[in-house]
Amino acid sequence: MGRGGWKGRGGWQQAEIPSADDAAAWFGGRLPDGWFVGDPDVTVDREEIVIVGELQPLTGEYADDAARAAAEDGRISRFREETRDERIEIARQAEHRYQRKVAWGASLGGTRHLFTTHSAPVMTRLRQPERLVLDTLVDAGVARSRSEALAWAVRLVGAHADAWLAELREAMTKVDDLRSQGPDLS
C-alpha cells in the first residue's frame, strides 16, 4: 500500500478527492422548491453523499398507526417515482463535482426510506478472536454473513459512541487545520 498522505478531513486516503464542505449548500440551492420541508439532511463521507429530506406532512385522518404508516410509505414511493429523472440528473452533476456517489432518501412522520445507497467494500484483516465474534453473530442469526455482522458491529459502536466520535472528528479537523497552515518558519 503506497503512501498517499493525510488528505483532508476524515483520515488517511490514497487519492485526493474534492472537498464536499459546501455540499449541503450546493444541494440546498440546486434542489427544486417544494420537494422537502426545510433543508434536507446531507451526509458526506469519502465514497458517498446521502440526501434525505422531509416530505410535506399528510393531511388525512387514519384509522390507526398502521394505516398512517402505509400512507407515509405510499407518499415516499410516489415522491421517489415522480422525482426519479430529476434526482438522477442532480446526482450526475454532484457526482462530477464531488467525485462521490449520491444516494437519496425521504422521511415522513415516522417513516424513513433510503433509496439506492452505495455499499463500499472495506478491506480488513481480522485475527481469529475477531472472526469468532463475527461468526457468533452469524451463527446466532443476528447477521447473514461476516460482512453483515461487521456492519452491525460498526452501527452498534456508532450508536453508543456518538459523543466520542464527534469529539474525535473535531480533533481531526483541528489537526487538518494545523497541517494546512504549516509551521511558522519566520
Side-chain angles (χ1 to χ4, degrees):
M1 184 154 114
R3 285 181 58 96
W6 185 272
K7 301 290 184 190
R9 188 165 186 233
W12 188 264
Q13 297 179 9
Q14 292 302 309
E16 185 77 41
I17 57 173
S19 170
D21 290 345
D22 68 345
W26 186 85
F27 279 100
R30 179 61 183 85
L31 296 177
D33 294 336
W35 269 18
F36 302 125
V37 175
D39 293 329
D41 180 29
V42 178
T43 307
V44 178
D45 69 14
R46 285 181 238 163
E47 286 84 28
E48 182 178 37
I49 300 172
V50 179
I51 301 95
V52 180
E54 179 74 22
L55 300 181
Q56 295 291 332
L58 298 172
T59 56
E61 295 293 322
Y62 300 95
D64 56 25
D65 289 342
R68 174 169 284 285
E72 291 170 354
D73 193 50
R75 175 69 61 83
I76 290 171
S77 289
R78 184 176 82 192
F79 170 80
R80 183 179 186 184
E81 292 165 10
E82 289 177 351
T83 62
R84 179 173 279 119
D85 291 341
E86 200 160 4
R87 284 186 296 105
I88 289 170
E89 178 57 25
I90 294 168
R92 188 188 64 70
Q93 293 170 10
E95 287 171 4
H96 177 74
R97 179 183 178 103
Y98 297 111
Q99 303 292 303
R100 293 165 173 87
K101 293 292 183 187
V102 173
W104 298 89
S107 60
L108 179 58
T111 305
R112 177 182 166 108
H113 288 289
L114 291 179
F115 310 152
T116 307
T117 57
H118 179 67
S119 288
V122 178
M123 297 300 292
T124 185
R125 295 189 187 276
L126 300 176
R127 300 204 184 281
Q128 189 178 39
E130 292 93 7
R131 292 192 314 265
L132 288 172
V133 170
L134 298 179
D135 291 343
T136 300
L137 293 171
V138 172
D139 293 343
V142 173
R144 292 179 298 214
S145 65
R146 282 181 174 174
S147 175
E148 191 175 283
L150 186 57
W152 179 86
V154 168
R155 283 192 303 272
L156 183 65
V157 168
H160 292 286
D162 280 341
W164 180 79
L165 289 170
E167 211 172 306
L168 184 60
R169 287 184 188 106
E170 184 178 324
M172 290 179 352
T173 299
K174 289 178 184 175
V175 169
D176 287 343
D177 292 345
L178 289 171
R179 285 179 195 238
S180 68
Q181 292 172 8
D184 183 7
L185 301 176
S186 56

